[in-house]
Amino acid sequence: MAPQLDGYFEQVDALSESFIERLRSAVAIPSVSADEARRPDVIRMSKFLVSELTKLGAHVESRELGPQPEKPHLQLPPVVIARYGSSTSKRTILVYGHYDVQPAGIEDGWATEPFSLSIDDKGRMYGRGSTDDKGPVLGWLNAIQAHKEAGVELPVNLLMCFEGMEEYGSEGLDDFIGKEAKSGGFFADADAVCISDNYWLGTEKPCLTYGLRGCNYYSVSVSGPGQDLHSGVFGGTAQEPMTDLVRVLGTLVDTNGKIQIPGINEMVAPVTDEERALYDPISYTMENLHESLGSTTTIHSEKEPTLMARWRMPSLSLHGIEGAFSQSGAKTVIPAKVTGKFSIRTVPDMESEKVNEYVYKYVDEQFKKLGSKNKCEVKLQHAGNWWVASPNHWNFSAAGKAVEKVFGVKPDLTREGGSIPVTLTFEQATGKNVLLLPMGSSTDAAHSINEKLDRRNYIEGTKLLGAYLHYVAEEPMSNGA
Amino acid sequence: MAPQLDGYFEQVDALSESFIERLRSAVAIPSVSADEARRPDVIRMSKFLVSELTKLGAHVESRELGPQPEKPHLQLPPVVIARYGSSTSKRTILVYGHYDVQPAGIEDGWATEPFSLSIDDKGRMYGRGSTDDKGPVLGWLNAIQAHKEAGVELPVNLLMCFEGMEEYGSEGLDDFIGKEAKSGGFFADADAVCISDNYWLGTEKPCLTYGLRGCNYYSVSVSGPGQDLHSGVFGGTAQEPMTDLVRVLGTLVDTNGKIQIPGINEMVAPVTDEERALYDPISYTMENLHESLGSTTTIHSEKEPTLMARWRMPSLSLHGIEGAFSQSGAKTVIPAKVTGKFSIRTVPDMESEKVNEYVYKYVDEQFKKLGSKNKCEVKLQHAGNWWVASPNHWNFSAAGKAVEKVFGVKPDLTREGGSIPVTLTFEQATGKNVLLLPMGSSTDAAHSINEKLDRRNYIEGTKLLGAYLHYVAEEPMSNGA
Ligand SMILES: [Zn+2]
Ligand SMILES: [Zn+2]
Ligand SMILES: [Zn+2]
Ligand SMILES: [Zn+2]
């Protein structure tokens, strides 16, 4: 039986101006987690959430995470956790968001003050954190409020987890989630997880995201001379680390993105017919890619292989070289030690340890081929695993129905090429299905200047979050494919 | 008939403390040409030289060069030119030096104040400019003074050219020298040129330098995307400029320094038996190289090929990449435009234009092989020609005799791997032989922290400059091989 949502939707519309005021208040708090001097603002933002949630009648706790690693004089911002409803006859949905934001200053080129919500005549609401991730976080609060004021009972128990360090590595969060997901913990009774912290593939059609690539980031250092040398004096007499490094880096991947390291591509899960069928309906064109790329220098010329390459195939990028001359102008230095940086985006069924093993072996082999007296060292700098959920799980089918109800279209089923590490943390800690249900669109410019959230995305997005809770309360509990 | 030098030498010894005081006064003037704020000090240094030379009875002129290119609000420091003696029966020797210095600050790691001469118990005189090039410049003044006070007549007419912008590209000097070397110009009657602005090969044995390599400096840019990209979002979909660039740079030279660009090595003049014979007597060992290199990662394992590789063979060095990630840490950027920097040290008989032509052709070919949609552009950033003089010219044989007289050993006949562009300027402008007659030793750390000049090198070097003037006055005017 389809849920009765009309009362809730009407209430969201009626409250929409006050929801925008709530977002304005949140954006006005510059809760920049990367900036030590802004830490009091991050704390202030946590208190704003505690206060709002308390007013809505939720049970709220502000949980301290202790001092910041490597900055022991600085306390980490608290995780704000809350529970709304505790009926044993209802399903329990755990939602996640973050209340910290990226740094921003008008001097970076913003058209408006970044920490003052500015709405233009097209309903674009500019401000740091509007879409990442204050809008979605407040969406949950708005949904509770609209239910209350419409007199509609929330059909699930809602657990909330809002952190304040996402933009600075989510320090301390993994352990916290691990503990609270255990029996007796705050999140112990979660039946499914929903994260709203990513974006639609385009601007018109909502999406549900069921996969993320992982990332193994490497450095490869070549060193020889005791100090940087002058190429006039030493050119021709010393084996140059930069020559060796560039020759090694040049063997890793070709122009069309094919990784040359044996074993890597062999680990990739084959595309099933079922999976392939997901790509055709997706609202995306090569023109969309060209626009975001700012050029037509693409590897593939069709939508399907392009999206697969972005979401479910590994890629290897060379990011740069540390220790070499990197300024403009002309310097005749022979750098003594140079460190190349590259990373591999990983996908099912690549094993991170095996990827490392293959990378180390290949780089060593390529370096040995050079016959150099220099020293070459390859290291993993960090690794984050890929994540894929089943888009057939009841958590996803419920969200799909909610999208259809609110927007009148079936959502795109998407993956992301980048990583959202907390996704994997929740999946592993709770053992439950995790859904990524974005509110913002592809043009929101999270992390850039002029970040914005469209009024439509915020208000209809609030309806979507509420509708999702209704559908997920009723959806038959299939576990998907 | 050997010149009578005893009186002069004794006078140099007698005046040595006052010569050191003269150096102390010069070092105390921080005449840093690269630093706009120090321009008044550079001017002050020029006035110090004018005053000292005037006191010695020289005819001195301070010649303005006009505003600094690209900094029209800033006047270039003057060229201080002087003449001591104008007898038509004497030969005329033109000497060059520079009175500006490299930047220096105690915060860079100097053990003593850089602009305060500090002498240790081994006679090492620390201070910016001590060896580069105030010591040698003052050596000429000291030589005049010692001759005067010893009552020994200077056997040549001495022309001096001291500039104040050497460490910042000798702006405006080429045209000036070109004009003054013409008939009627200040340098028109020069019979030979002597430049003291380089260093011995080691610490014990003086050298005469008869060759310099040239340098053609290139940039190769690869661009594609409209802006830097996130490798999570775009890895696998875009052809990455950094991948292309690294693959192109990797084809230029191998680990053992062999340039892979067809046509380059073919232009190198063959080594004659006569030239080869110059290498054996040179006081240099692989241990010297290992020490200066700080490692044993050399291309060659013997002295002779090592010195040839440094002095008379071309080399290609990769200096770095502009536009890529160059910091420490891990950034997952796909740079939109990257510019590799490399240079080729050139030697006889390489033609600069042909080198460019071969480089452009090869880079284009290598890039085309990649089949990339990105754009690749290779450009010459600057070029300076190689220079070789005949070490058998009377200017050199005179200097060799002077070295034997003062130091009791035959000098090493050396080249330099780097360039001293003014050398070529003087040769071309005057049409006369140019000799490089260094005062400092290989350990003087010009351009580094703790620059110094040994007391012995300064005082015996002053004797050498004076003795050279005597021998060059008498040497039969053979033009060498
Ligand atoms: Zn976010
Ligand atoms: Zn973010
Ligand atoms: Zn110099
Ligand atoms: Zn210098």
Side-chain angles (χ1 to χ4, degrees), chain B residues 96 98 100 131-133 166-167 196-199 446-447:
Chain B
Y96 162 90
H98 62 90
D100 63 321
T131 195
D132 181 21
D133 189 33
E166 198 275 342
E167 303 292 7
S196 191
D197 188 22
N198 65 318
Y199 309 92
H447 294 210

Side-chain angles (χ1 to χ4, degrees), chain A residues 213 215 217 224-227 229-240 242-244 246-247 249-256 260 289 292-300 306 309-310 315-335 341 343 345 370-374 381-382 416-418, chain B residues 213 215 217 224-227 229-240 242-244 246-247 249-256 260 289 292-300 306 309-310 315-335 341 343 345 370-374 381-382 416-418:
Chain A
R213 294 197 289 186
C215 182
Y217 199 106
Q227 67 290 322
L229 307 170
H230 187 281
S231 68
V233 181
F234 290 97
T237 68
Q239 293 187 333
E240 303 186 11
M242 185 69 179
T243 299
D244 292 347
V246 157
R247 287 175 86 92
L249 293 179
T251 67
L252 296 174
V253 64
D254 74 11
T255 288
N256 284 316
Q260 309 286 303
L289 177 60
S292 57
L293 200 58
S295 76
T296 59
T297 55
T298 58
I299 290 175
H300 304 284
T306 293
R310 172 167 163 180
S315 65
L316 190 156
S317 295
L318 304 175
H319 306 297
I321 296 175
E322 183 183 346
F325 175 54
S326 61
Q327 313 295 126
S328 62
K331 191 175 170 188
T332 55
V333 67
I334 298 175
K341 312 281 179 80
S343 65
R345 295 283 163 178
L370 303 178
S372 174
K373 295 173 189 168
N374 291 319
Q381 281 193 240
H382 64 69
E416 295 255 350
Chain B
R213 294 197 290 187
C215 183
Y217 199 105
Q227 66 290 320
L229 306 171
H230 187 280
S231 68
V233 181
F234 290 96
T237 68
Q239 292 185 334
E240 303 186 11
M242 184 70 180
T243 300
D244 292 347
V246 157
R247 286 175 87 91
L249 293 179
T251 66
L252 297 174
V253 64
D254 74 10
T255 289
N256 284 317
Q260 308 287 304
L289 177 59
S292 58
L293 199 58
S295 76
T296 58
T297 54
T298 58
I299 290 175
H300 304 285
T306 293
R310 173 168 164 179
S315 63
L316 191 156
S317 296
L318 304 175
H319 307 297
I321 296 176
E322 183 184 346
F325 175 55
S326 61
Q327 313 295 126
S328 62
K331 192 174 167 187
T332 56
V333 67
I334 297 175
K341 312 281 179 77
S343 66
R345 296 284 162 177
L370 303 178
S372 175
K373 296 174 189 169
N374 291 319
Q381 280 193 242
H382 64 69
E416 296 255 350

Side-chain angles (χ1 to χ4, degrees), chain B residues 124-150:
Chain B
R124 291 180 293 215
M125 307 188 292
Y126 291 95
R128 176 56 89 219
S130 55
T131 195
D132 181 21
D133 189 33
K134 288 177 174 174
V137 164
L138 299 186
W140 296 113
L141 275 61
N142 298 342
I144 296 172
Q145 185 182 354
H147 275 88
K148 276 187 73 165
E149 299 198 14

Side-chain angles (χ1 to χ4, degrees), chain A residues 142-439:
Chain A
N142 298 343
I144 295 173
Q145 185 183 352
H147 275 87
K148 275 185 73 163
E149 299 198 14
V152 180
E153 191 186 336
L154 212 63
V156 298
N157 304 315
L158 190 59
L159 287 174
M160 287 159 271
C161 176
F162 300 137
E163 70 153 321
M165 278 298 272
E166 199 275 342
E167 303 292 7
Y168 202 71
S170 294
E171 304 267 23
L173 190 70
D174 277 16
D175 288 349
F176 176 82
I177 294 172
K179 221 171 344 169
E180 297 303 332
K182 287 217 181 79
S183 171
F186 202 88
F187 307 146
D189 62 335
D191 295 302
V193 181
C194 178
I195 297 175
S196 191
D197 188 22
N198 64 318
Y199 310 93
W200 299 356
L201 191 56
T203 56
E204 287 308 312
K205 203 170 156 195
C207 68
L208 310 180
T209 304
Y210 67 96
L212 300 166
R213 294 197 289 186
C215 182
N216 284 24
Y217 199 106
Y218 300 95
S219 67
V220 47
S221 296
V222 181
S223 58
Q227 67 290 322
D228 284 1
L229 307 170
H230 187 281
S231 68
V233 181
F234 290 97
T237 68
Q239 293 187 333
E240 303 186 11
M242 185 69 179
T243 299
D244 292 347
L245 177 65
V246 157
R247 287 175 86 92
V248 168
L249 293 179
T251 67
L252 296 174
V253 64
D254 74 11
T255 288
N256 284 316
K258 184 156 193 309
I259 298 173
Q260 309 286 303
I261 303 165
I264 302 285
N265 297 308
E266 290 77 355
M267 282 190 283
V268 177
V271 182
T272 63
D273 289 345
E274 189 192 14
E275 183 193 343
R276 193 180 300 280
L278 297 173
Y279 284 84
D280 192 51
I282 292 171
S283 161
Y284 190 77
T285 65
M286 288 306 287
E287 285 64 43
N288 294 147
L289 177 60
H290 295 161
E291 195 180 334
S292 57
L293 200 58
S295 76
T296 59
T297 55
T298 58
I299 290 175
H300 304 284
S301 52
E302 307 284 342
K303 171 178 99 173
E304 184 181 299
T306 293
L307 288 177
M308 284 197 183
R310 172 167 163 180
W311 293 344
R312 63 100 60 228
M313 295 295 178
S315 65
L316 190 156
S317 295
L318 304 175
H319 306 297
I321 296 175
E322 183 183 346
F325 175 54
S326 61
Q327 313 295 126
S328 62
K331 191 175 170 188
T332 55
V333 67
I334 298 175
K337 180 179 180 178
V338 282
T339 301
K341 312 281 179 80
F342 68 96
S343 65
I344 297 178
R345 295 283 163 178
T346 59
V347 297
D349 298 315
M350 292 166 72
E351 293 171 46
S352 182
E353 294 295 326
K354 282 237 182 272
V355 173
N356 296 344
E357 194 183 299
Y358 294 147
V359 166
Y360 299 160
K361 180 163 180 285
Y362 182 77
V363 168
D364 282 346
E365 280 170 7
Q366 297 305 310
F367 182 73
K368 281 211 184 76
K369 274 191 198 167
L370 303 178
S372 174
K373 295 173 189 168
N374 291 319
K375 209 181 125 203
C376 177
E377 199 178 9
V378 54
K379 276 199 296 207
L380 179 76
Q381 281 193 240
H382 64 69
N385 238 319
W386 48 264
W387 164 81
V388 175
S390 165
N392 299 321
H393 189 279
W394 55 268
N395 195 23
F396 279 79
S397 49
K401 287 173 186 170
V403 169
E404 279 202 73
K405 177 75 181 174
V406 175
F407 291 91
V409 290
K410 274 192 195 303
D412 283 333
L413 279 167
T414 67
R415 298 192 188 188
E416 295 255 350
S419 55
I420 306 177
V422 76
T423 312
L424 204 62
T425 305
F426 275 115
E427 185 183 88
Q428 289 171 344
T430 65
K432 305 296 177 178
N433 181 276
V434 181
L435 159 74
L436 301 185
L437 181 59
M439 176 182 272

